[in-house]
Amino acid sequence: MDVLLAPAPVLLAGGSTLVSVAAALFVYYLRPAYILILLRWYNVWKTGFKIKFVNVAGRQFGYMERGEPQEGEPSILFLHGFTDRKETWCEMIKYLPGHLHMIAVDLPGHGDTEIKPQDDLSFKNGLVILHQFVGAIGLDHEQFHIVGISMGGAIAGCYAASHPEEVSAVTLMCPAGVRTPPLEQLGSLLIPESTAAIKEMLSKVFYNWQAAEPPEMILEGLLELRRPRHDWYRKMLEESRKTPNILENEYMDKITAPTQVIWGMHDQILPPSAAAVLEKGVPNCRVDMLERCGHVPGFERPRKTASLLIRFRKSVFKS
């Protein structure tokens, strides 16, 4: 009797393995987006962040936070780029000191932050909404370091100019709003409708993306996650056409906090030459140009970008 029953656990274990393999194959081939979602969760967990939500003026904001505010070490607020989300910062953040208090937020219409059909999509109203978020989580109790990339870089610079009493330092990575190319051209590139179009986008965003080109099914998953927001992205681009160089024309000379610009020398989305415009136009500005880097320094060269950010903070917050 015991002999006959002995194989049962083995069969059960083998069955569970087969079920797991079958489930994995199902996800990979039929819903590859789930793999990307799991990887996103894993990166958040690995970097020690906690996903949080807050209601601001009837809008749910999603953000992630790690650490607690500390005297002499201003908190950092990270702003992602167009069509991206807060988790994009995980790759670089893992090289930053663990004691820092850091917050990365999903901007309206991105990630876990809501957008409403009746929303005013103007750039300046976006600054108002971000200010509401900063107040809602109490980040404005002390001055903080604001960091933004691409669209988030333009927002970071304009926010620092609009609220100098809140911002102690600014880091702009390949920011928009300065010598911006025609947005019609960027829209067709950054809102891809096929995996072939995604490949073209990645070839422009990264310096050498072919070195780690993802499988076709992963690209399908990426497209599946992005497509529901495409109409909103187009509306946002259309609104942005009214103020394409807003950082350069209206705000950069009003930034009073020490400012760092980091730009990939091989950026094909926004012109690296715009870094010189900021260096000249922002009163207290330093520029770091990265070799072998495109439009996303924090993702493509995360260790180097983190070291530049740390060095900048040390120069500003000497105590």
Side-chain angles (χ1 to χ4, degrees), residues 119-285:
D119 276 349
D120 175 357
L121 303 183
S122 68
F123 189 92
K124 292 185 178 181
N125 189 59
L127 295 178
V128 172
I129 294 173
L130 180 61
H131 188 235
Q132 291 173 337
F133 167 77
V134 167
I137 64 171
L139 191 57
D140 57 350
H141 292 170
E142 299 286 344
Q143 286 193 318
F144 60 89
H145 180 182
I146 192 167
V147 179
I149 185 168
S150 196
M151 176 189 75
I155 295 172
C158 295
Y159 189 93
S162 302
H163 302 281
E165 75 285 354
E166 295 180 8
V167 177
S168 57
V170 184
T171 297
L172 309 177
M173 301 183 188
C174 308
V178 183
R179 306 293 163 95
T180 305
L183 292 177
E184 298 88 348
Q185 170 187 330
L186 290 179
S188 60
L189 180 67
L190 299 179
I191 309 176
E193 294 289 356
S194 66
T195 56
I198 287 182
K199 290 180 180 180
E200 181 183 2
M201 177 187 73
L202 294 175
S203 71
K204 299 293 185 182
V205 169
F206 292 96
Y207 167 63
N208 185 23
W209 83 281
Q210 291 90 344
E213 181 175 347
E216 188 77 12
M217 295 307 298
I218 296 300
L219 297 178
E220 290 281 1
L222 181 60
L223 189 61
E224 180 184 347
L225 291 175
R226 293 169 58 97
R227 189 175 279 132
R229 299 280 178 94
H230 279 186
D231 287 344
W232 144 245
Y233 294 152
R234 291 189 184 95
K235 290 178 182 178
M236 185 177 181
L237 273 180
E238 185 64 27
E239 184 66 31
S240 298
R241 289 176 63 185
K242 300 174 184 177
T243 54
N245 295 309
I246 190 168
L247 176 58
E248 177 181 0
N249 294 339
E250 298 185 39
Y251 288 95
M252 69 177 181
D253 61 341
K254 300 179 180 66
I255 299 174
T256 57
T259 300
Q260 172 189 40
V261 174
I262 300 175
W263 216 303
M265 294 177 65
H266 302 276
D267 190 346
Q268 298 182 69
I269 302 297
L270 298 173
S273 59
V277 177
L278 289 166
E279 187 175 28
K280 182 178 180 180
V282 178
N284 183 6
C285 181

Side-chain angles (χ1 to χ4, degrees), residues 298-316:
F299 194 89
E300 198 163 15
R301 298 199 61 189
R303 189 189 298 270
K304 179 63 176 180
T305 304
S307 70
L308 290 173
L309 191 146
I310 293 168
R311 188 176 69 183
F312 171 65
R313 283 179 63 89
K314 288 181 177 178
S315 71
V316 175

Side-chain angles (χ1 to χ4, degrees), residues 18-31 35:
L18 289 174
V19 169
S20 298
V21 170
L25 290 173
F26 173 82
V27 168
Y28 182 77
Y29 285 104
L30 298 183
R31 295 305 301 272
I35 295 176

